[in-house]
Amino acid sequence: MTLTLRSSTSFINLKDTKSFKTADEVVGSICYAQIKPTFSLVAKSSVQASHVLEHHSLIKVGSLAEKWEKLHPLSGPHDGSNSSKVPVFVMLPLDTVTHGGNLNKPRAMNASLMALKSAGVEGVMVDAWWGLVEKDGPLRYNWEGYAELVQMVKHHGLKIQVVMSFHQCGGNVGDSCSIPLPPWVLEEISKDPDLVYTDRSGRRNPEYISLGCDSMPVLRGRTPIQVYSDFMRSFRDRFSDDLGDVIVQEVQVGMGPCGELRYPSYPEGNGAWRFPGIGEFQCYDKYMRASLRAAAEEAGNPDWGIDGPQDSGEYNQFPEDTGFFRREEHGENILEAAEGIFQGTGAKLSGKVAGIHWHYKTRSHAAELTAGYYNTRNRDGYLPIAQMFAKHGVVLNFTCMEMRDGEQPENAGCSPEGLVQQVKMATQAAGTELAGENALERYDPAAYGQVLATSTSASGSGLSAFTYLRLNKRLFEEENWRHMVEFVRNMSEGGKNRELAESDTQGSDLYIGFVNEKNIEKTKEILLV
């Protein structure tokens, strides 16, 4: 099971796991065939930017440059005879657990898990929302809905990745529901609005607590890092019997908006940003301003700390004159805490980095800078991140694996392929594993083919796992399901791209002929909406 740091009517008795039927027991009743598993500181010039960014970062660079070559070697993607196999996980719906803390649509979930198991999928991923689990008050945790899910996943012989989601759900691409931060946290924010990220115009973003107050006891006597640590510790204790078993792959630790190690520089929810704008710096809350002043004074240039960047443009402008972005040791602090909490449990840690591919071809890489990634033509911004992940034995999870350069608008300077290649090289050099996700919902062969091309590499810089976005009704439509099963099979064979037969007359262990219009319509009645 992977852990990621990110009430409906019950149709079955969730306390009685014997009532969960396996694919062998009920395949005929839900109409899919048995398939054999194949198992931050802003300165006013580029000189100032370079100096301060090297000194203050989202990650703690320190002596990593001298030590990274001593870290563990890159491990293989999967144990077993087929070392090139890339296990596939599928993201569950964002509202898998309801606001009441119950498992949502358990009967449909049970049927979906059976289908995924039969297709050869390794497991699933779910967000453990801070806003749901610790909703009732500080240190009052409700894991019951997730416990029900873990037992159901275990019953079907699957694995589960759990995301420690310390951000809100709602306002980003693909967000289909609203799950805010815990009410008691929102109360503290209402008292002190500077607890959240703020742009130059004073607009507040309640998606995630500002890293400027990471070490300050602003959440009823606890610092945000302490709150996140207590949350992860509670999860570890509640699921101690499942860590290293069902929860065996990795634990993903949320470190920012959308669970990614970045700033909320391109918010869609309030209408301020549209693709492919460069975004804006989010360093104007009082805590970030204090960090700016302290870093400027330490650098011997107190004038740099008077205000934020004056020449960085606005949300929807294209790169011209961009300043630079102040980054704290936020990622280092959270991963260090998570490493200590989950040490010896058998769970592997992972963290997510955003795939900001627009304006990647420009000299300034402005969209990456405003999000907190100090990546330019003259500086590799992802190698230090990969080295930090390697230091803590953390898998780097990267998105936009399905995207191709030719699919993007010409005027946006996009290069998702170039960005993915840079990150692959960074993780290989740092000696840490790389896992992948698709950024947008895609069901077409071209997207699957791009993931296949990225997933393996003769140089050993392929993927350790891939998580597909996302389980929903469309996935089970005839052509979409066919493409998905083919994709899982190809990933299990190390990226070999071959189509499946329409029937099993050739003795194939994967068979698609069962997917017809009549069966699909029946299946949709029970599967997730």
Side-chain angles (χ1 to χ4, degrees), residues 310-448:
Q310 302 299 310
D311 56 357
S312 59
E314 297 179 355
Y315 281 109
N316 296 306
Q317 290 182 330
F318 277 42
E320 292 181 1
D321 297 320
T322 56
F324 96 101
F325 204 52
R326 161 80 162 80
R327 297 184 291 177
E328 295 266 1
E329 298 171 3
H330 178 69
E332 176 82 19
N333 291 337
I334 292 184
L335 290 184
E336 184 175 5
E339 182 183 23
I341 290 167
F342 292 101
Q343 188 172 16
T345 65
K348 183 184 293 184
L349 292 174
S350 73
K352 189 175 178 181
V353 175
I356 301 177
H357 57 85
W358 52 103
H359 303 302
Y360 181 82
K361 293 180 179 180
T362 65
R363 180 180 299 275
S364 62
H365 290 243
E368 293 165 272
L369 289 178
T370 57
Y373 301 128
Y374 185 23
N375 187 54
T376 67
R377 286 187 180 180
N378 300 315
R379 185 183 189 277
D380 186 344
Y382 298 99
L383 179 59
I385 296 176
Q387 290 170 344
M388 178 192 70
F389 278 46
K391 174 184 176 183
H392 296 285
V394 175
V395 177
L396 193 155
N397 193 310
F398 199 71
T399 185
C400 74
M401 293 288 177
E402 85 286 9
M403 292 183 173
R404 297 182 178 181
D405 291 2
E407 299 171 337
Q408 313 306 318
E410 293 184 4
N411 66 340
C414 299
S415 183
E417 294 181 63
L419 177 58
V420 168
Q421 183 60 29
Q422 181 182 355
V423 172
K424 288 180 69 174
M425 293 175 64
T427 54
Q428 185 179 23
T432 192
E433 295 180 27
L434 174 66
E437 297 180 4
N438 51 312
L440 303 175
E441 290 184 9
R442 295 279 296 270
Y443 308 93
D444 56 291
Y448 287 127

Side-chain angles (χ1 to χ4, degrees), residues 110-315:
N110 190 49
S112 299
L113 294 177
M114 283 190 282
L116 294 176
K117 176 66 175 179
S118 294
V121 166
E122 186 83 3
V124 294
M125 171 185 278
V126 68
D127 288 279
W129 296 106
W130 183 26
L132 296 182
V133 175
E134 202 175 355
K135 182 183 68 170
D136 295 334
L139 300 172
R140 296 176 61 186
Y141 306 104
N142 178 7
W143 294 105
E144 295 313 303
Y146 294 99
E148 294 167 358
L149 175 64
V150 168
Q151 291 307 307
M152 190 181 288
V153 169
K154 184 177 182 179
H155 182 77
H156 288 293
L158 294 166
K159 305 299 182 183
I160 186 168
Q161 302 173 324
V162 180
V163 181
M164 301 287 97
S165 295
F166 298 117
H167 60 286
Q168 78 168 18
C169 176
N172 288 295
V173 176
D175 284 353
S176 58
C177 64
S178 176
I179 304 174
L181 300 184
W184 60 273
V185 174
L186 296 179
E187 287 182 18
E188 298 305 312
I189 293 173
S190 67
K191 298 173 186 175
D192 184 2
D194 284 292
L195 292 179
V196 297
Y197 290 112
T198 308
D199 67 15
R200 182 173 53 188
S201 300
R203 282 175 290 214
R204 309 284 187 179
N205 189 322
E207 186 175 355
Y208 190 83
I209 299 295
S210 170
L211 64 80
C213 54
D214 266 357
S215 59
M216 306 185 69
V218 294
L219 298 179
R220 300 194 180 180
R222 292 185 295 165
T223 70
I225 296 295
Q226 289 173 333
V227 171
Y228 304 151
S229 298
D230 290 339
F231 184 95
M232 291 188 287
R233 192 174 293 109
S234 172
F235 175 88
R236 179 201 64 190
D237 295 343
R238 178 62 179 81
F239 295 96
S240 58
D241 292 339
D242 299 301
L243 288 168
D245 180 17
V246 186
I247 310 173
V248 71
Q249 290 291 326
E250 59 194 60
V251 170
Q252 191 175 111
V253 184
M255 293 180 283
C258 294
E260 299 166 335
L261 181 61
R262 65 172 176 87
Y263 297 96
S265 59
Y266 49 99
E268 285 193 305
N270 60 11
W273 176 86
R274 298 184 307 275
F275 176 85
I278 62 174
E280 285 194 18
F281 293 109
Q282 305 291 310
C283 55
Y284 293 89
D285 62 81
K286 67 182 181 183
Y287 300 103
M288 293 293 283
R289 287 173 180 263
S291 295
L292 170 65
R293 289 192 295 271
E297 292 174 1
E298 184 177 352
N301 293 278
D303 290 345
W304 293 357
I306 295 176
D307 201 357
Q310 302 299 310
D311 56 357
S312 59
E314 297 179 355
Y315 281 109

Side-chain angles (χ1 to χ4, degrees), residues 10-26:
S10 176
F11 294 99
I12 60 177
N13 182 359
L14 295 175
K15 300 299 182 182
D16 181 8
T17 57
K18 293 181 181 179
S19 64
F20 300 152
K21 296 182 189 247
T22 65
D24 290 332
E25 296 169 322
V26 298

